[in-house]
Amino acid sequence: MPYDPSAFPPFAVTVDLVVLTVRRHALCALAVRRGEPPYQGRWALPGGFVRGDEDLSTAAARELAEETGLHAHDPAGPLLPNAAHLEQLATYGDPKRDPRMRVVSVAHLALAPDLPAPRAGGDARSARWAPVEDLLDQEVGYAREDELAAPLAFDHARILADGVERARSKIEYSSLATAFCPQEFTVGELRRVYEAVWGVALDPRNFHRKVTGTPGFLVPTGGTTTRQGGRPAQLFRAGGATLLNPPMLRPEA
Amino acid sequence: MPYDPSAFPPFAVTVDLVVLTVRRHALCALAVRRGEPPYQGRWALPGGFVRGDEDLSTAAARELAEETGLHAHDPAGPLLPNAAHLEQLATYGDPKRDPRMRVVSVAHLALAPDLPAPRAGGDARSARWAPVEDLLDQEVGYAREDELAAPLAFDHARILADGVERARSKIEYSSLATAFCPQEFTVGELRRVYEAVWGVALDPRNFHRKVTGTPGFLVPTGGTTTRQGGRPAQLFRAGGATLLNPPMLRPEA
DNA sequence: CTGTTTATCGTCAGGCAGACGACTATGATC
DNA sequence: GATCATAGTCGTCTGCCTGACGATAAACAG
């Protein structure tokens, strides 16, 4: 079959972002309020069109910077203070997912440390961090008093759920949980990340043994802190290791 | 920013397939020879344009059927004789990946049992199974005598490498290795799948203990076979379990 | 000074994996 | 038919890792 430009239909390609962070012991996602139809006034994931000369990862990094001020962490580059982990998640292309036209969305997953406040950028009237349970537990037809009564726009609930599941499984066998922490952190803070993402309680003693005993996971910086109260804790930075072998086991229940 | 149809550039969206199987103790991928420019005469992954009313997974299943005669295995449906596992892999959208125009390709990964012969379908002059090492070890500028001298077209070497890595890691913690086997198979045949995909030798006794001791992984059919020579082996079908916990450990070296 | 909180070190038992010996049941070869 | 090669299956042993949990350490609040 020879090449024929009329043989394929045109698509719009967007990137949508699942930006996760841990705030007040809860896994939270960044949501923006839609300022125009369709789904006007509803919450949605941040995102936007891919430009004509842009790679997908570039577009995702640009949207991330526009919405949060974070820049994407280059795996090969140096550790930067305000950097987030960014990776491709999955692509969603149901013909009816956007009522306006045929849109294929390449969703990306970003993991960021706790930030002061989201900044509303681009086409969003407002932006906020919301616990993922609040964003996902929106039953259709279940009216609530607060502003989160409606479920997420488009298929964003599905995308968010996929991103959360990716994060939950990925911290099992990689050192990615450190992406939720500031540059220097304690073992207890890292443990609270796992507890928030998985929604379970972990034994502090076994957790401490596991993470300090895994070579390359944590590097002590020499300092200590008492910002959590109690006995001062050692400060660590993320080590060079990316894969955890053996993995951190997620409890059954 | 109000909706403006001219605010985004049009893209072509394709699906590309990494179809893997195990033949003669080697992990092989399906490659088709390109019949037109660009990369005319070079080997490439099978794929094609997504139609205007088609979901991405539907397009991938259609291409898979066109190229191999296999249909995609419905995870919720019954076990079918000629079904392959199909899942989305990743999306590739470098602005220069196709010299003709802006193309975003949603790559999918398919795992299939050994088939009699590939059938050339659609726009491919010919199709063949090739060991993944042969397809990936094509150094640029390294001229060889045979027809595989040139590396894969477009960014397909990268896509194939990503698909192989996905398959290698996924058989660790899921029961997906059975997707490479016929409906009924022996423990030894399943072990040879792992050995081919990972490129290692596994201890037959420990492997047997592991797979028969994992609940839901294998169900005995009652029959035996001696098609591998030696003592007759029990035949099994894939059980209902999809996740292996604890996982099958891939040897270090 | 006492209680509370968090961090950190130790101990012990059970589960699982790697190494490997032993035995079984076929077909091939002498 | 005896022997051998091949593959499958069952057991044993040892070491590592995890989960459960006791104990100690170092801060702060009253």
Side-chain angles (χ1 to χ4, degrees):
Chain A
M1 185 188 329
Y3 166 58
D4 175 6
S6 67
F8 61 90
F11 289 72
V13 175
T14 63
V15 291
D16 285 325
L17 293 179
V18 177
V19 190
L20 300 180
T21 195
V22 174
R23 311 193 88 190
R24 278 176 275 128
H25 295 196
L27 181 64
C28 295
L30 185 62
V32 299
R33 198 199 283 275
R34 287 188 56 79
E36 71 220 46
Y39 300 100
Q40 185 168 22
R42 291 268 281 278
W43 293 94
L45 299 178
F49 290 108
V50 177
R51 296 180 181 162
D53 56 351
E54 223 177 18
D55 196 3
L56 302 175
S57 56
T58 310
R62 173 177 56 75
E63 292 285 344
L64 180 66
E66 285 176 12
E67 303 283 350
T68 66
L70 292 163
H71 47 253
H73 188 96
D74 180 358
L79 259 66
L80 295 163
N82 231 20
H85 170 84
L86 183 62
E87 66 178 68
Q88 194 186 107
L89 177 60
T91 300
Y92 302 82
D94 187 291
K96 294 187 174 61
R97 65 180 295 278
D98 189 318
R100 295 169 295 182
M101 57 188 160
R102 188 70 200 265
V103 178
V104 165
S105 173
V106 184
H108 285 69
L109 175 67
L111 309 184
D114 197 1
L115 300 171
R119 77 176 188 214
D123 55 354
R125 289 264 178 78
S126 53
R128 60 169 287 193
W129 294 107
V132 294
E133 293 83 20
D134 292 357
L135 292 172
L136 291 174
D137 287 355
Q138 309 293 339
E139 296 287 325
V140 175
Y142 182 94
R144 287 192 0 192
E145 294 298 319
D146 66 34
E147 57 188 348
L148 275 174
L152 288 175
F154 303 108
D155 52 1
H156 287 186
R158 162 98 188 283
I159 299 176
L160 175 60
D162 290 349
V164 168
E165 183 47 40
R166 169 84 65 96
R168 281 183 175 147
S169 73
K170 205 147 184 185
I171 65 173
E172 282 190 84
Y173 58 89
S174 79
S175 61
L176 258 190
T178 59
F180 287 114
C181 294
Q183 267 206 302
E184 295 202 346
F185 54 89
T186 68
V187 172
E189 290 166 350
L190 184 63
R191 175 169 49 84
R192 279 181 278 275
V193 164
Y194 275 92
E195 291 177 333
V197 175
W198 285 344
V200 298
L202 300 176
D203 185 292
R205 297 155 293 189
N206 293 335
F207 183 86
H208 189 278
R209 177 183 61 193
K210 173 69 177 172
V211 296
T212 57
T214 299
F217 194 2
L218 300 181
V219 209
T221 66
T224 62
T225 183
T226 132
R227 57 176 173 247
Q228 298 291 334
R231 172 178 167 179
Q234 281 187 79
L235 284 170
F236 294 88
R237 276 183 295 108
T242 58
L243 255 55
L244 294 186
N245 210 323
M248 176 88 57
L249 293 179
R250 173 158 36 164
E252 305 287 319
Chain B
M1 187 188 328
Y3 166 57
D4 175 6
S6 67
F8 60 90
F11 289 72
V13 175
T14 62
V15 291
D16 286 325
L17 293 179
V18 176
V19 190
L20 299 180
T21 195
V22 174
R23 310 194 88 191
R24 280 173 275 128
H25 295 196
L27 181 63
C28 295
L30 186 62
V32 299
R33 198 199 283 274
R34 285 188 58 79
E36 72 221 45
Y39 300 100
Q40 185 167 24
R42 292 267 281 278
W43 293 94
L45 299 177
F49 290 107
V50 177
R51 296 180 180 162
D53 57 350
E54 225 178 17
D55 196 2
L56 301 174
S57 58
T58 309
R62 174 178 54 76
E63 291 286 342
L64 179 67
E66 286 176 12
E67 302 283 351
T68 67
L70 291 163
H71 47 253
H73 188 95
D74 180 356
L79 261 65
L80 297 162
N82 232 21
H85 170 83
L86 182 63
E87 67 177 72
Q88 194 187 107
L89 177 58
T91 300
Y92 301 83
D94 188 291
K96 296 187 173 60
R97 65 180 295 277
D98 189 317
R100 295 169 295 182
M101 58 187 160
R102 188 69 201 265
V103 178
V104 165
S105 174
V106 184
H108 285 69
L109 175 66
L111 308 183
D114 197 1
L115 301 170
R119 74 176 189 214
D123 55 355
R125 289 262 178 78
S126 53
R128 60 168 288 196
W129 294 106
V132 293
E133 293 84 20
D134 292 358
L135 292 172
L136 290 175
D137 287 355
Q138 310 292 338
E139 296 288 324
V140 175
Y142 182 94
R144 287 193 358 193
E145 293 299 318
D146 66 31
E147 58 187 350
L148 275 176
L152 288 175
F154 304 107
D155 52 1
H156 288 187
R158 161 96 189 284
I159 298 176
L160 174 60
D162 289 349
V164 168
E165 182 47 40
R166 170 82 66 96
R168 282 184 175 147
S169 73
K170 204 146 185 183
I171 64 172
E172 283 190 85
Y173 58 88
S174 79
S175 61
L176 259 189
T178 57
F180 287 113
C181 294
Q183 268 206 302
E184 294 202 347
F185 54 90
T186 69
V187 172
E189 290 165 349
L190 183 63
R191 175 170 48 82
R192 280 180 279 275
V193 165
Y194 275 91
E195 291 178 332
V197 175
W198 285 344
V200 298
L202 299 175
D203 185 291
R205 297 157 291 188
N206 292 336
F207 184 87
H208 189 276
R209 178 183 60 190
K210 174 69 177 173
V211 297
T212 57
T214 299
F217 195 1
L218 301 180
V219 274
T221 66
T224 61
T225 183
T226 141
R227 57 175 173 250
Q228 298 291 336
R231 171 177 167 180
Q234 281 187 77
L235 285 169
F236 294 89
R237 277 183 295 108
T242 59
L243 254 55
L244 255 41
N245 211 320
M248 176 87 58
L249 293 179
R250 172 161 33 165
E252 305 287 318

